[in-house]
Amino acid sequence: MTDNDPDEYGDFYTLTAMESNTKLFISHHEGGRSTDDATELFNNLEGKRLNTSPIPLFTSVDWDPFELALLNIYGSLEQPPYCGIGRKPHPILVPPEDLRYAQVIKKIAKGQVVEELRRVVFGDADEILRLFGADSGGCINTAHIERINLTIRNSLARFIRKGMNFSKSALMHSRAIDFFQAWYNFVKPHKSLRLMINSGNKRWLQRTLAVA
C-alpha cells in the first residue's frame, strides 16, 4: 500500500452470523476487526428480529469485540453505587437478564488446536447447555459457523490469498457475498436439515445464533 491508496485498500475482514437450527446465513459485515465492526454485525441482526421474539442465544469464538458489541446493542446504562469517597463512578453498560452468550476458546500450539475451553459470558450456564440439547451433545460449540466460513472460502475466489481474483472494490466484495448469501439460503441443498411434522401441535425452537 502507498499513502495515495484509498482507505479501503488493505486487509478486509468478513464477520458472519447464522442460525444454527435452520443453517440460515442471516448477516455479514465487511470491514476491520474492531468493536465498531462487531456492533455493525449485531445491529444488522437485531434489525431482522421481531420485537415479539426472544433475544437469541449467541455463540462465538473468543474475541472481545463480540462481547462489547452485544453490550452496545442490548445493554442498558446503570449507575454504580457511590460510597461518597472519591470521584463518582461513570454509568456502565449492564446486560439484560435474557441475554445469553457463550464462547469457545481454542488454545493453539504450533498450528494445532491442543485444548478447547468453553465459557459462559452472559446468562445461566445450565440453561444454555439445556438449550443446546442432545443434537450437539449438550456442548457449547461453533461447528456450524466454522463450516459456513469454510464454505464461503471454498466458494468465492475473492477469499483466496495472493490470487488474481481478489476484490478490487469493497462495495463489489460485499455484493459478491450478498449473492452467495442468497444462493446459500435459497438454492444450496442442506442435507443435514430434516422436516418434522407434529400434527396438532406447534413446536417453537429456541434460536441459536453463531457468529464469527
Side-chain angles (χ1 to χ4, degrees):
M1 292 181 60
T2 66
D3 295 337
N4 297 325
D5 287 334
D7 293 337
E8 66 180 16
Y9 280 20
D11 293 335
F12 214 56
Y13 296 90
T14 296
L15 304 178
T16 56
M18 72 174 299
E19 206 281 319
S20 299
N21 290 324
T22 61
K23 308 298 185 297
L24 186 67
F25 180 13
I26 302 177
S27 295
H28 62 89
H29 169 75
E30 286 68 52
R33 288 179 59 81
S34 68
T35 300
D36 289 340
D37 290 293
T39 301
E40 285 292 331
L41 175 70
F42 288 125
N43 189 51
N44 184 278
L45 278 170
E46 182 61 15
K48 298 175 180 178
R49 182 177 70 91
L50 291 175
N51 294 332
T52 55
S53 64
I55 298 176
L57 162 62
F58 292 94
T59 61
S60 77
V61 294
D62 179 24
W63 191 47
D64 291 340
F66 279 148
E67 178 179 344
L68 298 175
L70 285 172
L71 284 176
N72 288 338
I73 297 298
Y74 297 105
S76 58
L77 286 173
E78 291 189 7
Q79 182 65 52
Y82 178 54
C83 61
I85 301 176
R87 184 175 299 176
K88 189 175 182 180
H90 295 290
I92 60 174
L93 281 172
V94 177
E97 293 183 358
D98 55 346
L99 178 60
R100 292 156 296 188
Y101 172 47
Q103 292 180 338
V104 175
I105 305 169
K106 296 183 178 181
K107 294 186 177 182
I108 300 176
K110 297 181 179 180
Q112 299 292 327
V113 177
V114 296
E115 185 179 8
E116 282 192 359
L117 303 175
R118 289 159 177 82
R119 180 171 75 100
V120 173
V121 181
F122 303 130
D124 180 72
D126 292 335
E127 179 189 11
I128 289 175
L129 291 175
R130 177 181 59 81
L131 290 174
F132 273 99
D135 291 341
S136 61
C139 182
I140 299 169
N141 69 81
T142 55
H144 298 303
I145 195 67
E146 291 172 1
R147 175 63 250 189
I148 194 174
N149 286 338
L150 177 61
T151 302
I152 292 173
R153 288 195 297 270
N154 289 339
S155 303
L156 294 178
R158 294 169 180 267
F159 283 87
I160 299 176
R161 296 177 180 176
K162 299 181 180 180
M164 64 180 296
N165 296 314
F166 68 93
S167 295
K168 285 75 174 176
S169 162
L171 176 62
M172 295 309 297
H173 183 77
S174 183
R175 293 296 180 266
I177 302 175
D178 287 338
F179 187 82
F180 170 87
Q181 184 180 13
W183 169 80
Y184 184 88
N185 287 335
F186 302 112
V187 179
K188 184 181 184 299
H190 297 273
K191 296 180 180 179
S192 61
L193 295 179
R194 298 291 184 271
L195 178 63
M196 295 185 300
I197 300 178
N198 192 353
S199 59
N201 295 316
K202 292 182 179 180
R203 299 188 61 183
W204 296 93
L205 298 179
Q206 168 64 39
R207 293 189 179 276
T208 304
L209 291 183
V211 292

